[in-house]
Amino acid sequence: MVVAGCFQALVGYSILAWGPVYLIRVHGMTGTELGVSFGLIAGLTGAAGTTLGGLLNDKLIQRDRRWNLWMPSLVSLAAFPFALPFYLAGETWLALTSFAVFYFLNNMYVGAMWSVSQGLASPRMRAVAAATLLAILNFVGQGIGPAVIGWANDALAPRY
C-alpha cells in the first residue's frame, strides 16, 4: 500500500510541479491564465476526487472489504488515459480538460489509502501510522518526484 501510494504521490505532485511549466512553455499561457485555470482546476478536482473517492470507498467496502484495494487500482487505471492528452493536446482547452479528469480520478485513491492505513494499525498506533505514511508519501511525492521528472526532461529534451 505504501509503495502504491508513493507512486500515486509521485505522479500527483510531479504534475503539480511541472504541469504549469509545461503549459507556459508549450501552450504559451501567462501566469494569470495559469493561476486561474490550472490552479482552480487542481484545487477543485483534487478536493472533489478525494472527497468522492472516500465516499465511494465507504459505500463499496460495506459490500466487500477488498474494495479498499480494488478501488485505488481501478481509478488509477481510469486516470491514465487522461494524462496522455494533457501532454499531447495541441489545444489548451483540451489539455486543461484532460488534466481536470485525470486529476479528479487520480485523487480518488486517497480515502481508501488512509482507510487501509488506519485499519491496519492498532488504535494506539494510528497517529504514528498516519505520520509515517504522510512523511514517506511527501518525501517521495514532493521530494523525489519533481526532481526525477526534471532530470528526465533535461535528459530527454535534446532527443525529443
Side-chain angles (χ1 to χ4, degrees):
M1 177 205 63
V2 173
V3 171
C6 283
F7 280 114
Q8 284 286 36
L10 188 141
V11 169
Y13 286 123
S14 294
I15 201 166
L16 289 179
W18 290 106
V21 175
Y22 171 78
L23 290 168
I24 289 169
R25 290 179 184 170
V26 174
H27 292 277
M29 293 182 75
T30 66
T32 302
E33 292 171 332
L34 188 66
V36 171
S37 59
F38 189 81
L40 209 55
I41 290 169
L44 293 175
T45 62
T50 300
T51 303
L52 186 62
L55 293 170
L56 178 62
N57 191 61
D58 283 348
K59 295 277 186 206
L60 292 172
I61 63 172
Q62 289 175 3
R63 294 183 197 164
D64 190 335
R65 301 247 353 126
R66 293 177 290 183
W67 276 106
N68 259 338
L69 300 176
W70 292 342
M71 205 270 292
S73 301
L74 293 174
V75 297
S76 297
L77 289 172
F80 179 73
F82 295 98
L84 295 177
F86 174 67
Y87 295 110
L88 301 175
E91 299 291 327
T92 304
W93 69 267
L94 182 56
L96 290 171
T97 302
S98 299
F99 170 73
V101 177
F102 164 78
Y103 206 65
F104 173 80
L105 292 170
N106 195 58
N107 279 289
M108 290 181 76
Y109 82 97
V110 174
M113 178 190 65
W114 289 107
S115 175
V116 170
S117 166
Q118 295 301 285
L120 291 174
S122 66
R124 67 178 202 77
M125 293 300 294
R126 288 185 178 155
V128 172
T132 303
L133 180 58
L134 189 60
I136 293 168
L137 292 177
N138 284 333
F139 175 75
V140 172
Q142 292 181 7
I144 295 173
V148 168
I149 300 302
W151 171 84
N153 182 56
D154 290 346
L156 297 173
R159 187 169 180 185
Y160 298 101

